[in-house]
Amino acid sequence: MKFDFCIPTTGKAVPYGPDWFHEIKFDSYRLRVERDGNRVRLITRGGYDWTKRFPRIAEAALKNRRGQS
């Protein structure tokens, strides 16, 4: 599933549901975690691969279990 980065807006509650993606902002950088099997990439809004800059985030993404559809 592909999606674009969202433009942040102010909210009063965190939405949830099967179609909701959470975007976490880290140290003023916006990154998207892309996982395909055992491959993880951290991509910036500008399209740069910053996986090597944040190896602990990539490792944590590999430890997350994927849900069965």
Side-chain angles (χ1 to χ4, degrees), residues 2-67:
K2 295 282 185 177
F3 64 95
D4 292 324
F5 284 90
C6 67
I7 303 301
T9 57
T10 302
K12 295 184 181 188
V14 177
Y16 68 94
D19 295 327
W20 181 255
F21 291 99
H22 289 273
E23 182 178 323
I24 299 172
K25 208 153 168 357
F26 178 76
D27 195 24
S28 299
Y29 296 106
R30 190 176 307 276
L31 297 173
R32 177 175 63 217
V33 176
E34 296 180 354
R35 179 177 173 182
D36 184 14
N38 289 328
R39 181 176 182 224
V40 171
R41 293 178 10 163
L42 304 177
I43 305 298
T44 68
R45 187 172 176 205
Y48 298 103
D49 186 341
W50 278 14
T51 308
K52 290 182 181 179
R53 292 184 185 209
F54 299 102
R56 292 176 70 191
I57 295 173
E59 290 169 16
L62 284 172
K63 291 179 183 178
N64 286 332
R65 296 206 278 151
R66 297 182 78 166

